[in-house]
Amino acid sequence: MGQHSGYQNEIYLQGLAEKTPPFTTDATRLEAVAAEAFAPGPFGYVAGGAGSGATMRANRDAFDRWRIVPRMLADATERTLDTTVLGTAMPAPVLLAPIGVQSIVHPDGELATARAAKALGVPIVLSTASSYALEEVAEAAGPRWFQLYWPNEPEVCASLLQRAKRAGYEVLVVTLDTWTLAWRPQDLDQAYLPFLRATGVANAFTDPAFLAGLAKSPADDQAMAVLRWVSLFTGQDKSWDRLPFLREHWDGPIVLKGIQHPDDARRAADAGMDGIVVSNHGGRQVDGAVGALEMLPEIASAVGSRMSVLFDSGVRTGADVLKALALGADAVLLGRPYVYGLGLGGEDGVRHVLRGLLADLDLTLGLCGRRSVSEVDSSLVRSA
Ligand SMILES: Cc1cc2nc3c(=O)[nH]c(=O)nc-3n(C[C@H](O)[C@H](O)[C@H](O)COP(=O)(O)O)c2cc1C
Ligand SMILES: O=C(O)C(=O)c1ccccc1
């Protein structure tokens, strides 16, 4: 049997005791459920996107334009979703996307997420903008990667990387598409920005190089510390020729996140990067951008043989994961759905969302006549 489909049996069996799951098993409905349960500011921050929301819609539309073509009598009873990406073994080609400020939806924030992921062996990618310090999250976490918002001060950058390495983060994911926040009407209409309330600044406020640049401690002058944080992470003074700096300060694999053009993917490979995340940041940055999945086949064929290709932006179901794999991804990052799970049920909520996705993925894989991730290729899909 597939290792992950047991959650399906468990749910049905609990029905005999009149128990149903904590909240929906339909990941495409989680946003609507969260809308009823979350405070308006945090809900808008998580669910919202850039401008008119066109990119978020394009992300989902792009999945709908591919259809799966199942095969029969293929003996796919025994299945595994196990895979290894950039040296990290994982129980499925799924990681938790870096999502900052998780304490806005649940007080346990990234700690709860890390515990839920650890219980399943699923790797997390911890955001630079986490609500808890990276060392604290590391203690709660299983396999872990670190996402970097590349600070403008080399000393702070080097310090963050050293801390992450020491705390056991294995892969560095450098996000390139969010050097300033886009025009986000949901947040603007509510004048809601978590950082100004000193949420999501834990890594900086515990960093010696960051603190060295402050006249007073964050406890004595929070406003000044927050301003320093904002200026440190805003602005794009970076260029391709600065990547060697990261190499010097990080001796593990490096992945560039937010790649949407095949030429940028080639540049990443030429620069000796180990991987990319094809992503438009869940439609939160450039309104009217192309659906992330639309660019995946071209990018994967340009660089897939030279580097690991990961994907995010719009992944909701097992079928979505399979489509991304079929179109060239080695693994996907799950974004908003697990944050809805966190807000709805803390650690258990994240676990419910993750177990649901893995079960759905496992069942769909088997029903398509495939036994493992390595049996998924472009023959699984056709364009609608
Ligand atoms: C509330 C929120 C916060 C995010 N914070 C970060 C972050 O700190 N670093 C980062 O690289 N990406 C961040 N992202 C982007 C995600 O990593 C991912 O690219 C995106 O959520 C994928 O889209 P999806 O959630 O619609 O699937 C954030 C996304 C959301 C929704
Ligand atoms: O909101 C976001 O999309 C995001 O990536 C972010 C940026 C800075 C801090 C926290 C999250």
Side-chain angles (χ1 to χ4, degrees):
M1 282 296 284
Q3 304 150 278
H4 302 284
S5 54
Y7 196 38
Q8 184 194 41
N9 297 335
E10 188 180 313
I11 290 174
Y12 286 133
L13 280 173
Q14 284 182 342
L16 298 177
E18 307 299 331
K19 272 186 70 182
T20 56
F23 50 85
T24 184
T25 55
D26 178 353
T28 66
R29 279 187 48 224
L30 280 173
E31 180 181 325
V33 175
E36 302 293 313
F38 288 17
F43 175 74
Y45 190 74
V46 176
S52 68
T55 307
M56 289 192 289
R57 289 191 295 277
N59 284 341
R60 290 300 301 152
D61 289 350
F63 278 100
D64 285 340
R65 285 207 291 278
W66 289 96
R67 301 284 157 81
I68 290 172
V69 189
R71 300 297 303 271
M72 298 301 122
L73 294 175
D75 188 13
T77 325
E78 300 290 337
R79 297 182 297 280
T80 176
L81 295 176
D82 288 355
T83 192
T84 297
V85 180
L86 293 170
T88 301
M90 46 195 89
V94 176
L95 302 91
L96 297 191
I99 293 203
V101 297
Q102 291 181 26
S103 66
I104 65 173
V105 303
H106 191 282
D108 297 340
E110 294 81 4
L111 299 177
T113 297
R115 289 181 191 122
K118 182 183 185 185
L120 301 170
V122 169
I124 60 165
V125 186
L126 185 72
S127 166
T128 291
S130 54
S131 344
Y132 289 88
L134 62 91
E135 290 85 359
E136 235 181 314
V137 179
E139 273 180 38
R144 49 195 179 273
W145 295 7
F146 183 69
Q147 178 265 329
L148 182 72
Y149 274 129
W150 194 341
N152 298 323
E153 290 177 27
E155 300 75 21
V156 177
C157 185
S159 175
L160 283 173
L161 296 185
Q162 185 188 47
R163 289 170 60 195
K165 197 75 201 169
R166 213 175 262 166
Y169 292 83
E170 297 168 63
V171 173
L172 182 66
V173 178
V174 185
T175 300
L176 303 178
D177 57 15
T178 308
W179 46 272
T180 193
L181 294 183
W183 185 253
R184 295 180 178 177
Q186 287 96 324
D187 301 335
L188 293 162
D189 288 354
Q190 302 190 69
Y192 181 83
L193 190 64
F195 324 108
L196 296 189
R197 301 156 195 228
T199 305
V201 297
N203 287 322
F205 283 21
T206 54
D207 192 274
F210 177 84
L211 296 171
L214 287 176
K216 290 183 187 169
S217 75
D220 290 334
D221 192 345
Q222 192 185 84
M224 191 56 82
V226 166
L227 272 181
R228 172 159 162 67
W229 188 90
V230 171
S231 69
L232 198 58
F233 293 104
T234 308
Q236 183 56 304
D237 61 335
K238 314 293 186 312
S239 52
W240 291 94
D241 57 18
R242 298 277 294 280
L243 292 173
F245 177 87
L246 297 177
R247 263 289 170 240
E248 277 163 39
H249 292 272
W250 182 264
D251 68 355
I254 304 180
V255 172
L256 301 185
K257 177 171 182 276
I259 299 294
Q260 301 176 68
H261 195 294
D263 287 346
D264 281 346
R266 283 188 200 96
R267 288 192 86 155
D270 292 344
M273 297 292 106
D274 303 282
I276 52 172
V277 185
V278 176
S279 166
N280 59 30
H281 211 92
R284 298 165 70 79
Q285 289 298 90
V286 177
D287 189 25
V290 61
L293 194 76
E294 293 178 65
M295 298 310 298
L296 179 60
E298 207 183 323
I299 293 177
S301 65
V303 299
S305 61
R306 292 207 276 164
M307 65 201 310
S308 295
V309 176
L310 293 97
F311 174 85
D312 79 27
S313 297
V315 174
R316 299 293 177 266
T317 66
D320 295 342
V321 178
L322 288 176
K323 288 177 186 179
L325 297 181
L327 297 174
D330 296 305
V332 304
L333 311 186
L334 182 68
R336 291 182 179 93
Y338 84 82
V339 181
Y340 295 135
L342 175 65
L344 292 170
E347 179 183 340
D348 290 345
V350 176
R351 222 165 78 89
H352 170 64
V353 170
L354 259 179
R355 292 183 80 196
L357 176 68
L358 297 191
D360 177 14
L361 172 58
D362 186 14
L363 291 163
T364 308
L365 180 82
L367 289 168
C368 289
R370 309 300 206 273
R371 281 165 297 218
S372 70
V373 167
S374 61
E375 290 184 357
V376 175
D377 60 22
S378 60
S379 67
L380 184 77
V381 293
R382 61 173 281 162
S383 59

